[in-house]
Amino acid sequence: MRKIVEYIFCRDCKKVYFYLHGGPLFTLRNWQEDPFATMLYNEQRNFILLNYPIVYGNGGISDYQFLKEYFWEYKRQNRNTEMVLLGESYGGYLASLFAAEYIFRKIIAISAFTSIAYQELFSSERSWLKDYLSENALDFYTLCRDNKVNTRTIFIIGSRDSRVPYQQFLALPFMKKFKVNILPGFTHRESGTRLEYVVSLIKQGL
């Protein structure tokens, strides 16, 4: 299984999107398997699907380090290319950590958690999450607390998301570097017209 799947439609374009899927316990083989990868494909945007390593007990560390090394090497080899990062759910959590780096022009995190402590108390996914994440893993709340948010970050979250309760976003301090879109009545992963609305919001942010 390839960890990295590239879709380059315009070789001369100096903008590339990177997408981190949710999960984390699976991999994406192609764009058809994910609605947000499908959005990028249909828009004919240059994008790269990244399958991060799955390591129980070291989540938030080994996957983040793998991605960090890849992103910095890509930036080194493509100095004039604008990089934008998207992620959903657990992939959105990982994406939000890169707000501390100076790699991306913008980060868009869909249905992503920002507080590990809150997730472990109130998320419907808390049983596996506590075992999966490293005790040393950071989160976006910590970045805010330590004033380490350096990249414009947009969050999209549903008010009825039991996997990622939106209340954790209310604890974040006000900062101009990030924006939170709470969608009334939306759940973790929508379909039909509601999914289309989420996609429209993402397109506005691209």
Side-chain angles (χ1 to χ4, degrees):
M1 181 66 67
R2 288 185 296 167
K3 283 187 170 65
I4 300 167
V5 186
E6 297 187 1
Y7 296 95
I8 305 301
F9 299 99
C10 175
R11 293 288 175 184
D12 297 326
C13 297
K14 296 300 182 181
K15 190 171 186 177
V16 175
Y17 299 85
F18 300 82
Y19 181 65
L20 306 179
H21 64 78
L25 307 179
F26 66 88
T27 58
L28 281 185
R29 293 170 295 179
N30 52 60
W31 61 269
Q32 295 98 323
E33 296 180 341
D34 184 280
F36 305 113
T38 297
M39 172 200 71
L40 292 169
Y41 185 89
N42 289 340
E43 290 274 303
Q44 296 284 284
R45 297 180 186 263
N46 290 345
F47 72 101
I48 298 173
L49 301 179
L50 287 158
N51 290 297
Y52 40 82
I54 300 169
V55 183
Y56 259 94
N58 207 39
I61 299 294
S62 55
D63 40 20
Y64 176 75
Q65 191 59 40
F66 165 80
L67 293 168
K68 183 177 178 179
E69 291 175 4
Y70 173 83
F71 290 143
W72 275 116
E73 180 61 20
Y74 189 94
K75 191 175 185 68
R76 187 186 69 79
Q77 294 185 17
N78 301 273
R79 296 185 183 277
N80 296 320
T81 298
E82 184 177 292
M83 299 167 65
V84 177
L85 179 61
L86 293 84
E88 186 206 15
S89 193
Y90 185 82
Y93 155 71
L94 289 175
S96 73
L97 298 181
F98 285 95
E101 303 289 338
Y102 293 91
I103 301 176
F104 299 97
R105 182 183 66 83
K106 181 184 295 184
I107 296 169
I108 301 176
I110 310 134
S111 300
F113 61 89
T114 56
S115 169
I116 294 172
Y118 197 95
Q119 286 292 104
E120 290 181 348
L121 287 173
F122 301 109
S123 170
S124 62
E125 302 290 302
R126 59 185 176 273
S127 58
W128 68 263
L129 186 68
K130 192 168 185 177
D131 293 332
Y132 186 79
L133 287 172
S134 166
E135 61 181 15
N136 297 315
L138 299 179
D139 55 27
F140 192 79
Y141 177 85
T142 304
L143 299 184
C144 289
R145 183 198 65 194
D146 297 343
N147 197 31
K148 291 183 177 179
V149 177
N150 300 309
T151 304
R152 173 70 172 164
T153 305
I154 299 172
F155 292 95
I156 300 173
I157 186 75
S159 69
R160 296 185 63 187
D161 188 340
S162 62
R163 298 182 185 180
V164 181
Y166 80 92
Q167 288 86 350
Q168 62 193 280
F169 288 86
L170 304 180
L172 296 176
F174 173 77
M175 299 178 71
K176 292 183 179 180
K177 281 287 188 179
F178 72 88
K179 177 182 179 182
V180 180
N181 296 293
I182 300 176
L183 307 183
F186 280 57
T187 58
H188 191 71
R189 166 73 78 82
E190 290 289 355
S191 60
T193 56
R194 287 194 169 192
L195 175 58
E196 291 175 4
Y197 181 72
V198 174
V199 168
S200 71
L201 287 180
I202 297 170
K203 288 180 180 179
Q204 292 174 29
L206 296 180

